[in-house]
Structures are given as C-alpha cells and as structure tokens.
C-alpha cells in the first residue's frame, strides 16, 4: 500500500516525465502498456517538446526532480553495460550543483553540533561556502592555532527528503522485478539497495572521517597520494573539520602544464593508485571524479595526487578480488577459456553455461581490440563490451562490483585526459602479475604459513588438551550414534513383529471368512 505522501510524489514524478516528453517511460511498463495509444494525445508531444534527444530529456527531468534523482542518474551513468550509449552520455553530464543554504544556517548547525560559538571554535570562519552539493557544503576556516581548514556541514532537513525519494525508488524497483524477467536479471532492488547504503554512508561525516583516516594510514609515507588530516575534536555526524589542501584541480590541464607537471607520469601514477587501493589495500576511493582530485605542484617530475571527499569507499570480498585479478591476468594473456571458466566459477553467469560457446563470444569481442595499438584501447570500454556480450549468457549484475566498474571508468577517463597515449594495459599488467605471484602459488602459500605460524605456535601448549577434548567429543558422538542405531534396530524389530502379527491376523480373518462362506453354502 503506497502512502498518500508517496502517491503525491509519484504524481509529481510522472507529471515531470510527461512535461519532458518522457511519456514512453511510463507507458512502457506492463501496467500502462495497454494505454500506449495515449502517447499520441500527450499535449507535450503535440507542442513539439520532444525534439530534444531522449537522453537530454531524461537528464533535464532528473535535474528538475532534485538532488537524489541527480545522484541516482549519476550512478546509472556508470552502468553503460545497461544503458543505450546516447542515454549514458547525457547522464554523465549530470552535475551535483545545488544552490547553497545560508551561511548563517551553517553557523547555527556547527554551534549546535560542537556545543560552542563559532567565534570560540575558529579564528576565522567564512560564511560563503567554497562548494555546495546535494548532501553537504564546505566552508573555509582557520583553527585557533592558525591552521587552514575546511568545515563540511550536512544540509539541514535533508534526511526526510532522502528517505521519501529512496522509498519511491525501492517501490519502483520492486514493481519492476515482479513485472519483468529482464528487470529481475538486472537486480534493480539490489542496485537501489546499494544506492541507499551509499547515500546513508555519505550522511554520516564521522564515517567519512574514519574512511579518510584509514586511507591516510594506507598511504602514509607514500609519494603517490596525499590525504588531508581530520581534526576529530571538531567532528560530529553532521559536521567535519579537515585540513585544507592547496593543489591544482586535476581538470585544469592548462594550470598543470604551466606548473611543469609530467603528464605521462601523472596518468600512470593515477593507474598505480587505483590498482594499489583495489588489490593491495582492498579499500578504494569510489568517487574519483575530477572535482575530488587535485595535484600537488611541489614535485612536478613525480606528481603527487591529493584527494578529498571520502564518503563513498569501496571494498571487495577476497573471492571477488581473486576472480577479478585472475580475469585481468587471463585477459592480458589472451586466455579466453580461463576468462569464461572464471565467470562460471564465480557465479557471474549460470553454471549450465557452455564454456566453449562463452569462450567463443569472448574471443569475438577481444581479438579485434588486441589487433589495435595498445594506446588506442580503452580498457574500461572493452569491459563494457564484454559485459554486454555476457548478457546473452544471462550474466547477472553484480551489485558489489558496481562501484569498482564506476571507479575504473573514472580513472581511465581521467588518465586519457591527462595523457592521451596512456596505456592502461602495460601499466596495469606488471601490477596484476606481481599480485598473482604474491597471492596465488608457492609464494602465497609461504606468506600464508608465515602469517598463521604465530597463531599455531600460540595454540601449541593447548594442543594436548584440545586433542583430548576432540577425542572425547568424538567418543561421545560415537556412543550417541551407537545408542541411536540400537534404538533404530529395536524400532525396526518392533515394526517387523507388528507386521508379522498383522499378517497373521489378516490370514486368520480371511480363513474365518472362507469357513463361514463354506458353512453357509453347505447349509
């Protein structure tokens, strides 16, 4: 049962879709398909409002519906394996630009969260925000000791809006799964669940601060990536204070060149950061769009990245991590059969899939690409073509890999902008091969033994007691099984005796009936 407030919101959504000439989205659903003829009666169609492309109309409708739909469109834009190319291109243009809320309101929220006047908390505080997005906005400030910081403040009253629109998305996803087999294969409920979790994670700035701290520990002492310091004494769920960094925006190519930044090294180091986060740390920044990435001008020959906004971080299970690494390794070596086998072993395609047919489909997609110069190959788009091919074999969407696919596309797109000849394959292959040697094979076995040996030695003094307890438990189990076997034999004996008695009684009854019939006949 849809509650009245959700029904009102759904009405607004449908009205917005119709005004942007997206009536076909409504009438494509099984519930409204019989009324499809009404498309031609739409006043917006008659007024010629549909001359814009469908992708452009969808993007503008999402922008009008508000920040949650903008963020959902951004998330969808990363799933090019599910969308037509023209729609994906338009959704990629969605910008999370939201008018800021008043600085006086931000000041009041900070004072309520931290329990002191802003004048006591900061030496300086600018009520004009540096940036404003759908979840929060950022203000420059200075701590009492003069350190430059930024203050991130969650938008007031944003949670009820998020909950309302998420409930609508959950409702639509559930209806889609019930109505369409194709929709069920794409797991819309799981995709919305993942989006729901991501949004709620972004609302908790303490969680973001913890993510920032963990990423900083992973890259401590590294010249690849700098992570700004968090000031925990100034951090609450809706307010976070962080060191202010001064770098060149990664999208400002002219400024990077003017600073003498080695663009080839910058592109390659970005790829190295990505694979280090995914395969070494298993903790990766999953929102690596240009607005969140800066470059330090201090070491132009070995440029160092600087990152902000750690609300969305990704991890993988050890199984997915291993399967991905093996897939990359097999692709690099053009071992298509192993790629097909890995997809089946991981459960990404059904177990009844014919390996030979799947291998042939993968080879058809891959071989033309490998015949081109490596610098012309987009690994991200190659994976998308592979996923589209795998759809013919009922490959299911893997929600846990959505963030990784999005990040890989961001990284490669960013790298190509910085250095058009970036060769992701050559840069990544040595990393993957090293990871395979360390995690799979004799060296991996030795590393595991080295890690487990201290725990095994710690248990050694307890080994006699544990052995005695195990043997005692085994003896008790054997005795219990023997008792159960005896009871089962006794039960079988009772049943056999009852069967024999029943048979005897039946024969006796038949004999008596025959004697009675005989006597009656003789009489």
């Amino acid at each position: 049962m849809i509650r009245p407030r959700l029904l009102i919101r759904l009405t607004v959504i449908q009205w917005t879709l119709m005004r942007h000439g997206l009536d076909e989205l409504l009438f494509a659903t099984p519930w409204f398909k019989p009324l499809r003829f009404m498309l031609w009666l739409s006043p917006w169609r008659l007024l010629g409002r549909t001359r814009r492309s469908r992708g452009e109309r969808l993007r503008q409708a999402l922008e009008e519906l508000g920040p949650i739909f903008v963020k959902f469109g951004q998330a969808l834009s990363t799933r090019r394996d599910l969308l037509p190319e023209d729609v994906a291109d338009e959704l990629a243009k969605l910008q999370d630009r939201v008018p800021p809320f008043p600085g006086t309101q931000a000041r009041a929220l900070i004072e309520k969260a931290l329990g002191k006047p802003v004048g006591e908390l900061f030496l300086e505080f600018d009520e004009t925000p540096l940036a404003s997005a759908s979840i929060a906005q950022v203000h420059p400030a200075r701590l009492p000791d003069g350190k430059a910081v930024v203050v991130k403040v969650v938008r007031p009253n944003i949670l009820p809006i998020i909950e309302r629109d998420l409930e609508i998305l959950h409702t639509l996803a559930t209806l889609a799964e019930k109505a369409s087999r194709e929709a069920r294969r794409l797991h819309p409920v799981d995709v919305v669940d993942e989006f729901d979790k991501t949004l709620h994670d972004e609302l908790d700035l303490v969680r973001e601060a913890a993510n920032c701290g963990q990423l900083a520990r992973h890259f401590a002492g590294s010249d690849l990536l700098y992570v700004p310091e968090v000031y925990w004494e100034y951090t609450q769920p809706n307010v976070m204070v962080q060191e202010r960094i001064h770098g060149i925006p990664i999208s400002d190519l002219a400024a990077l060149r003017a600073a003498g930044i080695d663009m080839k090294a910058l592109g390659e180091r970005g790829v190295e950061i990505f694979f280090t986060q995914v395969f070494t740390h298993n903790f990766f920044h999953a929102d690596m769009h240009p607005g969140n990435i800066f470059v330090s001008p201090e070491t132009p020959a070995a440029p160092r990245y600087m990152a902000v906004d750690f609300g969305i971080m990704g991890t993988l299970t050890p199984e997915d991590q291993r399967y991905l690494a093996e897939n990359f390794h097999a692709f690099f070596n053009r071992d298509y059969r192993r790629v097909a086998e890995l997809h089946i072993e991981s459960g990404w395609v059904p177990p009844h899939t014919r390996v030979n047919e799947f291998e042939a489909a993968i080879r058809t997609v891959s071989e033309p690409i490998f015949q081109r110069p490596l610098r012309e190959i987009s690994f991200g788009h190659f994976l998308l073509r592979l996923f589209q091919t795998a759809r013919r074999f009922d490959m299911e969407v893997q929600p846990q890999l959505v963030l990784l696919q999005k990040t890989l596309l961001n990284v490669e797109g960013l790298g190509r902008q910085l250095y058009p000849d970036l060769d992701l394959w050559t840069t990544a292959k040595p990393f993957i091969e090293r990871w395979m040697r360390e995690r799979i094979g004799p060296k991996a076995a030795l590393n595991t033994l080295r890690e487990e040996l201290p725990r095994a030695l710690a248990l050694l003094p307890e080994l006699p007691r544990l052995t005695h307890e195990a043997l005692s438990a085994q003896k008790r189990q054997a005795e219990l099984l023997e008792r159960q076997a005896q009871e089962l034999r006794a039960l079988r004996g009772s049943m056999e005796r009852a069967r024999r008695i029943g048979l005897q009684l039946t024969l006796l009854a038949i004999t008596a009936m025959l004697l009675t019939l005989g006597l009656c006949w003789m009489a």
Side-chain angles (χ1 to χ4, degrees), residues 78-132:
T78 66
R79 298 309 316 274
R80 287 178 173 265
D81 54 317
L82 307 180
L83 299 173
E85 188 172 350
D86 61 316
V87 173
D89 287 342
E90 277 296 328
L91 293 184
K93 298 177 184 177
L94 285 168
Q95 298 295 318
D96 206 6
R97 290 189 294 251
V98 180
F101 59 91
T104 52
Q105 198 170 10
R107 178 187 288 267
L109 290 169
I110 294 167
E111 291 179 344
K112 183 178 180 181
L114 301 181
K116 290 182 180 179
V118 164
E120 292 182 23
L121 293 166
F122 304 105
L123 187 66
E124 299 174 8
F125 178 80
D126 192 342
E127 290 189 358
T128 302
L130 282 173
S132 178

Side-chain angles (χ1 to χ4, degrees), residues 6 74 150 164 172 180 216 239 256 388 430 513:
L6 294 182
Q74 289 173 329
V150 292
R164 178 200 64 192
L172 295 175
S180 166
V239 174
L256 290 172
Q388 289 167 347
M513 183 178 68

